[in-house]
Amino acid sequence: KGAQCGCGMSGFELTSPILNLASKKDLNELATVCDIIKTFFGGEVNSSCGTHVHMSFPVEKASDDLIVHFARSYRKSEASLFDQLVPPGRRENKARYAKTVSVRYLWDRYRKLNFGNVKKDSDNLHLEFRQLDGTLDYDKIISWVRLQKLFCEMTLESWSYTCADDAKPIQINLDDVKLRSEERFSRNAET
């Protein structure tokens, strides 16, 4: 999609097909597209750009309680994890189209975690992560996607160990992610 931004440049939104993190072909395709945009088209990003990641995964039931649990967990992890990894203009409540997650504004699509595509009571949960700044850096995109996947896994894990009435939001710190990544790296190196 293209649009004029009023600064003499054309702005474009690039939407990818569904990508599978386990597919080398899909990951190579994303890397190639990032390179082509930079190399052949002179593509650039600025502070008005954002990288949005849509993620779907199976759940027993996309209940209101589960959605609120995700919102509270993201909110609780914002300062200790997500805000640590993005530029200052995308932290706290500073980004115009990626505001702090809030149960009060749960269905406002312009939050760091957007629940607008969730079909309640479905066996599939579809989330949109909007906090990452615009980038054509393949490694940065993939790292962010893997972080969001880890967040979803940890949030679902915490949900499954509690009954819905007792579910407390989790807080993930940057050190937690580093430790978990090191553990996975060690297991993979052993096999």
Side-chain angles (χ1 to χ4, degrees):
K1 300 176 184 176
Q4 289 293 334
C5 63
C7 60
M9 298 175 63
S10 293
F12 293 89
E13 177 177 301
L14 181 67
T15 304
S16 76
I18 295 171
L19 300 175
N20 181 340
L21 273 175
S23 167
K24 286 185 180 183
K25 178 184 173 284
D26 285 1
L27 297 181
N28 287 337
E29 189 174 299
L30 177 60
T32 300
V33 169
C34 288
D35 285 341
I36 288 172
I37 292 170
K38 290 185 287 190
T39 307
F40 292 104
F41 296 105
E44 297 177 358
V45 296
N46 60 32
S47 62
S48 71
C49 299
T51 302
H52 301 176
V53 175
H54 290 258
M55 196 169 288
S56 292
F57 45 92
V59 294
E60 190 172 308
K61 179 182 174 186
S63 66
D64 286 336
D65 290 336
L66 178 60
I67 294 164
V68 166
H69 182 64
F70 263 89
R72 288 183 173 151
S73 295
Y74 198 92
R75 175 68 180 111
K76 198 163 184 179
S77 299
E78 273 183 51
S80 62
L81 177 61
F82 303 117
D83 282 358
Q84 302 294 313
L85 302 171
V86 296
R90 310 270 312 168
R91 296 179 189 162
E92 300 160 352
N93 214 25
K94 295 177 184 170
R96 181 177 179 186
Y97 297 110
K99 296 288 186 191
T100 296
V101 175
S102 166
V103 173
R104 182 176 180 192
Y105 301 107
L106 196 61
W107 302 106
D108 175 4
R109 68 178 286 207
Y110 297 118
R111 299 287 159 176
K112 293 174 183 176
L113 178 53
N114 173 19
F115 297 97
N117 293 311
V118 172
K119 300 212 179 354
K120 285 196 249 179
D121 299 327
S122 168
D123 61 355
N124 189 30
L125 191 60
H126 182 97
L127 303 174
E128 178 189 19
F129 297 90
R130 301 175 59 90
Q131 188 173 4
L132 184 61
D133 53 311
T135 184
L136 293 170
D137 181 331
Y138 167 82
D139 292 325
K140 187 174 182 178
I141 294 168
I142 291 303
S143 295
W144 186 257
V145 170
R146 288 186 174 135
L147 175 64
Q148 298 310 332
K149 183 177 182 279
L150 179 63
F151 166 76
C152 290
E153 289 169 354
M154 292 174 77
T155 303
L156 283 172
E157 189 177 298
S158 73
W159 179 257
S160 67
Y161 287 123
T162 62
C163 88
D165 295 336
D166 283 342
K168 298 203 176 9
I170 61 169
Q171 179 175 352
I172 306 171
N173 299 307
L174 192 54
D175 290 339
D176 298 333
V177 173
K178 289 177 185 175
L179 181 63
R180 203 163 211 193
S181 295
E182 289 169 3
E183 289 171 359
R184 282 185 178 173
F185 181 74
S186 300
R187 280 194 307 259
N188 291 341
E190 292 171 6
T191 57

